[in-house]
Amino acid sequence: NAGVTQTPKFQVLKTGQSMTLQCAQDMNHNSMYWYRQDPGMGLRLIYYSASEGTTDKGEVPNGYNVSRLNKREFSLRLESAAPSQTSVYFCASSGTDKNIQYFGAGTRLSVL
Amino acid sequence: GIQVEQSPPDLILQEGANSTLRCNFSDSVNNLQWFHQNPWGQLINLFYIPSGTKQNGRLSATTVATERYSLLYISSSQTTDSGVYFCAVERGTGNQFYFGTGTSLTVIP
């Protein structure tokens, strides 16, 4: 039982490049989330998906797009990376039981 | 959104000491969770506690929803307790969670 799996673990991009962060969960959860974590700022919600086929903006959605590919997978895309998007990105999922969140191991992204 | 403030921002303890971490939030919530982020970055859920008190081993948590705060107690701290502790709140059932900026705990032997 892998839980929440994120790929890649590390990535370095040049300004203007694009990339997609992948996330998959095997807990049959309805809800999935993407957060970014910056030093001294805790975690901030980028986008979330309450169920398959729906996505909604969180606190800091600008510069990102998401796709809920199916119930298991939720991807985050940076179309034109900027240095301000240098961060650690976490994917999480939760079921209907109290919305307890389970996190992946994170993706450390540097944009030069 | 909801403002979530945690205190203290940093804490250094001798192994075996006890501590209390606080989380204040600016609006009524229906979901509050505490997380531990270990030194390798992994986030683990400790408690789901929108109100009342829960205990799990050396950790316990209390949320007083009417006064908009939650406390996390760590007793007989161990070096493995080191890391950052976050509280996160959700208002309504919209799945939007707001995290505090965390308390960084270092337990020294």
Side-chain angles (χ1 to χ4, degrees), chain B residues 1-22:
Chain B
I2 303 175
Q3 305 304 311
V4 182
E5 296 180 353
Q6 291 187 241
S7 60
D10 299 283
L11 190 57
I12 300 175
L13 295 176
Q14 200 78 41
E15 199 168 25
N18 304 328
S19 61
T20 301
L21 283 58
R22 187 177 180 102

Side-chain angles (χ1 to χ4, degrees), chain B residues 29-103:
Chain B
V29 299
N30 73 331
N31 190 332
L32 188 147
Q33 298 177 30
W34 282 97
F35 295 88
H36 175 228
Q37 186 171 38
N38 67 23
W40 297 272
Q42 181 66 47
L43 281 149
I44 302 295
N45 185 287
L46 297 174
F47 291 101
Y48 162 82
I49 186 158
S51 63
T53 297
K54 289 186 178 178
Q55 180 154 7
N56 184 1
R58 296 181 296 101
L59 302 182
S60 64
T62 294
T63 297
V64 183
T66 53
E67 297 186 24
R68 300 181 185 170
Y69 73 89
S70 183
L71 302 173
L72 178 69
Y73 305 95
I74 304 174
S75 64
S76 304
S77 58
Q78 301 176 356
T79 55
T80 52
D81 295 331
S82 295
V84 183
Y85 291 81
F86 292 101
C87 72
V89 301
E90 177 194 16
R91 178 175 55 200
T93 56
N95 293 86
Q96 284 218 38
F97 282 86
Y98 297 89
F99 278 72
T101 53
T103 292

Side-chain angles (χ1 to χ4, degrees), chain A residues 30-112:
Chain A
N30 286 326
S31 300
M32 297 186 73
Y33 312 80
W34 277 106
Y35 292 90
R36 60 178 288 171
Q37 183 177 26
D38 301 299
M41 298 190 72
L43 279 79
R44 292 182 292 168
L45 184 63
I46 305 171
Y47 272 93
Y48 64 99
S49 170
S51 62
E52 185 179 355
T54 69
T55 60
D56 286 285
K57 295 179 180 179
E59 259 185 288
V60 289
N62 291 345
Y64 305 95
N65 288 302
V66 291
S67 295
R68 184 74 184 266
L69 304 169
N70 47 55
K71 191 170 186 178
R72 290 188 63 247
E73 298 173 289
F74 188 38
S75 63
L76 178 73
R77 183 160 178 84
L78 287 70
E79 290 290 352
S80 180
S84 60
Q85 294 178 306
T86 294
S87 189
V88 181
Y89 291 85
F90 286 96
C91 176
S93 70
S94 65
T96 52
D97 179 25
K98 302 165 188 170
N99 244 0
I100 292 174
Q101 295 190 73
Y102 296 86
F103 282 84
T107 295
R108 189 173 296 273
L109 175 66
S110 293
V111 183
L112 306 178

